[in-house]
Coordinates of all heavy atoms in Angstrom, one line a residue:
D1 N 118.7 94.6 93.0 CA 118.0 95.8 92.6 C 116.6 95.6 92.1 O 116.3 94.5 91.6 CB 118.9 96.5 91.5 CG 118.7 98.0 91.5 OD1 117.7 98.5 92.1 OD2 119.5 98.7 90.9
K2 N 115.8 96.6 92.1 CA 114.4 96.5 91.7 C 114.2 96.5 90.2 O 115.0 97.1 89.5 CB 113.5 97.6 92.3 CG 113.4 97.5 93.8 CD 112.6 98.7 94.3 CE 112.4 98.6 95.9 NZ 111.6 99.7 96.4
G3 N 113.2 95.8 89.7 CA 112.9 95.9 88.3 C 111.8 96.9 88.1 O 111.8 98.0 88.7
H4 N 110.8 96.5 87.3 CA 109.7 97.4 86.9 C 108.5 96.6 86.5 O 108.6 95.4 86.5 CB 110.1 98.4 85.8 CG 110.7 97.7 84.6 ND1 109.8 97.1 83.6 CD2 111.9 97.5 84.2 CE1 110.6 96.6 82.7 NE2 111.8 96.8 83.0
V5 N 107.4 97.2 86.2 CA 106.2 96.5 85.8 C 106.4 95.9 84.4 O 107.2 96.5 83.6 CB 104.9 97.4 85.8 CG1 104.7 97.9 87.3 CG2 105.1 98.6 84.9
A6 N 105.7 94.9 84.1 CA 105.8 94.2 82.8 C 104.4 94.3 82.1 O 103.4 94.1 82.7 CB 106.2 92.8 82.9
Y7 N 104.4 94.6 80.8 CA 103.2 94.8 80.0 C 103.2 93.8 78.9 O 104.2 93.4 78.3 CB 103.3 96.2 79.4 CG 102.3 96.6 78.4 CD1 100.9 96.6 78.7 CD2 102.6 97.0 77.1 CE1 100.0 97.0 77.8 CE2 101.7 97.4 76.2 CZ 100.3 97.4 76.6 OH 99.4 97.8 75.6
A8 N 102.0 93.3 78.6 CA 101.8 92.3 77.6 C 100.4 92.5 77.0 O 99.5 93.0 77.6 CB 102.0 90.9 78.1
Y9 N 100.2 91.9 75.8 CA 99.0 92.2 75.1 C 98.6 91.1 74.1 O 99.5 90.4 73.5 CB 99.0 93.5 74.3 CG 100.3 93.7 73.6 CD1 100.6 93.2 72.3 CD2 101.4 94.4 74.2 CE1 101.8 93.4 71.6 CE2 102.6 94.6 73.6 CZ 102.8 94.1 72.3 OH 104.0 94.3 71.6
K10 N 97.3 90.9 73.9 CA 96.7 90.2 72.8 C 95.9 91.2 72.0 O 95.9 92.4 72.3 CB 95.9 89.0 73.3 CG 96.7 87.8 73.8 CD 95.8 86.9 74.6 CE 94.6 86.4 73.8 NZ 95.0 85.4 72.7
T11 N 95.1 90.7 71.0 CA 94.3 91.6 70.2 C 93.2 92.3 71.0 O 92.9 93.5 70.9 CB 93.7 90.9 69.0 OG1 94.7 90.3 68.2 CG2 92.9 91.9 68.2
H12 N 92.6 91.5 71.9 CA 91.4 92.0 72.7 C 91.6 92.1 74.2 O 90.7 92.4 74.9 CB 90.2 91.1 72.4 CG 89.8 91.1 71.0 ND1 89.3 92.2 70.3 CD2 89.8 90.0 70.1 CE1 89.1 91.8 69.0 NE2 89.4 90.5 68.9
Q13 N 92.8 91.8 74.7 CA 93.1 91.9 76.1 C 94.5 92.5 76.3 O 95.4 92.3 75.4 CB 93.0 90.6 76.8 CG 91.7 89.9 76.7 CD 91.6 89.0 75.5 OE1 92.5 88.6 74.9 NE2 90.3 88.5 75.3
K14 N 94.7 93.2 77.4 CA 96.1 93.7 77.8 C 96.3 93.4 79.3 O 95.3 93.3 80.0 CB 96.2 95.1 77.4 CG 96.0 95.4 76.0 CD 96.3 96.8 75.5 CE 96.1 96.9 74.0 NZ 96.5 98.2 73.4
T15 N 97.5 93.3 79.7 CA 97.8 93.0 81.1 C 99.1 93.7 81.6 O 99.9 94.1 80.8 CB 98.0 91.5 81.2 OG1 98.2 91.2 82.6 CG2 99.3 91.0 80.5
I16 N 99.1 93.9 82.9 CA 100.3 94.5 83.5 C 100.6 93.6 84.7 O 99.7 93.1 85.4 CB 100.1 96.0 83.9 CG1 101.4 96.6 84.2 CG2 99.1 96.1 85.0 CD1 101.3 98.1 84.2
R17 N 101.9 93.4 85.0 CA 102.3 92.6 86.1 C 103.2 93.4 87.0 O 104.2 94.0 86.5 CB 103.1 91.3 85.6 CG 103.7 90.4 86.6 CD 102.6 89.7 87.4 NE 103.2 88.5 88.0 CZ 103.8 88.4 89.2 NH1 103.9 89.5 89.9 NH2 104.3 87.3 89.6
T18 N 102.9 93.5 88.2 CA 103.7 94.2 89.2 C 104.3 93.1 90.1 O 104.1 91.9 89.9 CB 102.9 95.2 90.1 OG1 102.0 94.4 91.0 CG2 102.1 96.1 89.2
N19 N 105.1 93.5 91.1 CA 105.6 92.5 92.1 C 104.5 91.7 92.7 O 104.8 90.5 93.0 CB 106.5 93.2 93.1 CG 107.8 93.6 92.6 OD1 108.4 92.9 91.8 ND2 108.3 94.8 93.0
Q20 N 103.4 92.3 93.0 CA 102.3 91.6 93.7 C 101.1 91.2 92.9 O 100.5 90.2 93.2 CB 101.9 92.5 94.9 CG 100.9 91.7 95.8 CD 100.6 92.6 97.1 OE1 101.2 93.6 97.3 NE2 99.6 92.1 97.9
Y21 N 100.8 92.0 91.9 CA 99.5 91.8 91.2 C 99.7 91.5 89.7 O 100.7 92.0 89.1 CB 98.6 93.0 91.4 CG 98.2 93.2 92.8 CD1 98.9 94.2 93.6 CD2 97.3 92.4 93.4 CE1 98.5 94.4 94.9 CE2 96.9 92.6 94.8 CZ 97.5 93.6 95.5 OH 97.2 93.8 96.8
R22 N 98.7 90.9 89.1 CA 98.5 90.9 87.7 C 97.1 91.4 87.4 O 96.1 90.9 87.9 CB 98.6 89.5 87.0 CG 98.3 89.5 85.5 CD 98.5 88.2 84.8 NE 99.9 87.8 84.8 CZ 100.8 88.3 84.1 NH1 100.6 89.3 83.3 NH2 102.0 87.8 84.2
L23 N 97.0 92.4 86.5 CA 95.7 92.9 86.1 C 95.6 92.6 84.6 O 96.5 92.9 83.8 CB 95.6 94.4 86.3 CG 94.4 95.1 85.7 CD1 93.1 94.8 86.5 CD2 94.6 96.6 85.7
V24 N 94.4 92.1 84.2 CA 94.1 91.9 82.8 C 92.8 92.6 82.5 O 91.8 92.5 83.2 CB 93.9 90.4 82.5 CG1 93.6 90.2 81.0 CG2 95.0 89.5 82.9
L25 N 92.9 93.5 81.4 CA 91.7 94.2 81.0 C 91.3 93.7 79.6 O 92.1 93.5 78.7 CB 92.0 95.7 80.8 CG 92.4 96.4 82.1 CD1 92.7 97.9 81.8 CD2 91.4 96.3 83.2
H26 N 90.0 93.4 79.5 CA 89.4 92.9 78.3 C 88.7 94.1 77.5 O 88.2 95.0 78.1 CB 88.4 91.8 78.6 CG 88.9 90.6 79.2 ND1 89.0 89.4 78.6 CD2 89.5 90.4 80.4 CE1 89.5 88.5 79.4 NE2 89.9 89.1 80.5
K27 N 88.8 94.0 76.2 CA 88.2 95.0 75.3 C 86.7 95.2 75.6 O 86.1 96.3 75.4 CB 88.4 94.7 73.9 CG 88.2 95.8 72.9 CD 88.7 95.5 71.5 CE 88.5 96.6 70.5 NZ 89.0 96.3 69.2
D28 N 86.0 94.1 76.0 CA 84.6 94.1 76.3 C 84.3 94.6 77.7 O 83.1 94.6 78.1 CB 83.9 92.8 76.0 CG 84.5 91.7 77.0 OD1 85.3 92.0 77.9 OD2 84.1 90.5 76.8
G29 N 85.3 95.1 78.4 CA 85.1 95.6 79.8 C 85.4 94.6 80.9 O 85.4 95.0 82.1
G30 N 85.6 93.4 80.6 CA 86.0 92.4 81.6 C 87.3 92.7 82.3 O 88.2 93.3 81.7
Q31 N 87.4 92.3 83.6 CA 88.6 92.6 84.4 C 89.0 91.3 85.1 O 88.2 90.6 85.6 CB 88.4 93.7 85.4 CG 88.0 95.0 84.7 CD 87.6 96.1 85.8 OE1 87.2 95.7 86.9 NE2 87.7 97.3 85.4
E32 N 90.4 91.1 85.2 CA 90.9 90.1 86.0 C 92.0 90.7 86.9 O 92.8 91.4 86.4 CB 91.5 89.0 85.2 CG 90.6 88.2 84.2 CD 91.3 87.3 83.3 OE1 91.9 86.3 83.8 OE2 91.4 87.6 82.1
L33 N 92.0 90.3 88.2 CA 93.0 90.8 89.1 C 93.4 89.6 90.0 O 92.6 88.9 90.6 CB 92.5 91.9 90.0 CG 93.5 92.5 91.0 CD1 94.7 93.1 90.3 CD2 92.8 93.5 92.0
Y34 N 94.7 89.3 90.0 CA 95.3 88.2 90.8 C 96.3 88.8 91.8 O 97.2 89.6 91.4 CB 95.8 87.1 89.9 CG 94.9 86.6 88.9 CD1 94.9 87.1 87.6 CD2 93.9 85.7 89.3 CE1 94.0 86.6 86.6 CE2 92.9 85.3 88.3 CZ 93.0 85.7 87.0 OH 92.1 85.3 86.1
N35 N 96.3 88.3 93.0 CA 97.3 88.6 94.0 C 98.3 87.5 94.1 O 98.0 86.5 94.7 CB 96.6 88.9 95.4 CG 97.5 89.3 96.4 OD1 98.8 89.3 96.3 ND2 97.0 89.8 97.6
H36 N 99.5 87.7 93.6 CA 100.5 86.7 93.6 C 101.1 86.3 94.9 O 101.7 85.3 95.1 CB 101.6 87.0 92.6 CG 101.3 86.6 91.2 ND1 101.8 85.5 90.6 CD2 100.4 87.2 90.3 CE1 101.3 85.4 89.4 NE2 100.5 86.4 89.1
E37 N 100.9 87.2 95.9 CA 101.4 86.8 97.2 C 100.7 85.7 97.8 O 101.2 84.9 98.6 CB 101.3 88.1 98.2 CG 102.4 89.1 97.9 CD 102.5 90.2 99.0 OE1 101.6 90.1 99.9 OE2 103.3 91.0 98.9
V38 N 99.4 85.5 97.5 CA 98.6 84.5 98.1 C 98.0 83.5 97.0 O 97.5 82.5 97.4 CB 97.4 85.1 98.9 CG1 97.9 85.8 100.1 CG2 96.5 85.9 98.1
D39 N 98.1 83.9 95.7 CA 97.6 83.1 94.7 C 98.5 83.1 93.5 O 98.3 83.7 92.4 CB 96.2 83.8 94.2 CG 95.5 83.0 93.2 OD1 95.8 81.8 93.0 OD2 94.7 83.6 92.5
P40 N 99.7 82.4 93.6 CA 100.7 82.4 92.6 C 100.3 81.8 91.3 O 100.9 82.0 90.2 CB 101.9 81.7 93.2 CG 101.2 80.8 94.2 CD 100.1 81.6 94.8
F41 N 99.2 80.9 91.3 CA 98.8 80.3 90.0 C 97.6 80.9 89.4 O 97.0 80.4 88.5 CB 98.5 78.8 90.3 CG 99.7 78.1 90.9 CD1 99.8 77.6 92.2 CD2 100.9 77.9 90.1 CE1 100.9 76.9 92.6 CE2 102.0 77.2 90.5 CZ 102.0 76.8 91.8
E42 N 97.2 82.1 89.9 CA 96.2 82.9 89.3 C 94.9 82.2 89.1 O 94.3 82.0 88.1 CB 96.7 83.5 87.9 CG 97.9 84.4 88.1 CD 98.5 84.8 86.7 OE1 98.1 84.2 85.7 OE2 99.2 85.8 86.7
T43 N 94.3 81.7 90.3 CA 93.1 80.9 90.2 C 91.9 81.7 90.8 O 90.8 81.3 90.6 CB 93.3 79.6 91.1 OG1 93.6 80.0 92.4 CG2 94.4 78.8 90.5
R44 N 92.1 82.8 91.5 CA 91.0 83.6 92.1 C 91.0 85.0 91.6 O 91.9 85.8 92.0 CB 91.1 83.5 93.6 CG 89.9 84.2 94.3 CD 89.9 83.9 95.8 NE 88.8 84.7 96.4 CZ 88.9 85.9 97.0 NH1 90.1 86.4 97.1 NH2 87.9 86.5 97.5
N45 N 90.1 85.4 90.8 CA 89.9 86.7 90.3 C 89.3 87.6 91.4 O 88.2 87.4 91.8 CB 89.0 86.7 89.1 CG 88.9 88.1 88.4 OD1 89.4 89.1 88.9 ND2 88.1 88.1 87.3
I46 N 90.1 88.6 91.9 CA 89.6 89.5 93.0 C 89.3 90.9 92.5 O 89.3 91.8 93.3 CB 90.6 89.5 94.1 CG1 92.0 90.0 93.6 CG2 90.8 88.1 94.7 CD1 93.0 90.3 94.7

């Protein structure tokens, strides 16, 4: 059966994890996006 998205946080950043992607938002406006289908170790910010 399917799960759901996962949410996590630090003081100045927050993230959400879906089946395919991780998005990280920074308080200063920075963004990180990783595609786990092709980049499971989160090395390329797209």
Side-chain angles (χ1 to χ4, degrees):
D1 207 345
K2 293 181 179 179
H4 53 80
V5 297
Y7 173 59
Y9 43 85
K10 287 168 54 71
T11 302
H12 300 295
Q13 301 93 10
K14 300 188 177 185
T15 183
I16 196 164
R17 175 72 157 87
T18 70
N19 283 321
Q20 186 173 355
Y21 298 102
R22 174 177 298 286
L23 174 71
V24 182
L25 297 182
H26 296 247
K27 195 172 183 179
D28 63 7
Q31 300 174 338
E32 299 173 68
L33 179 65
Y34 304 103
N35 183 347
H36 274 257
E37 283 192 356
V38 296
D39 182 22
F41 301 112
E42 299 176 341
T43 60
R44 183 170 177 263
N45 183 358
I46 59 171

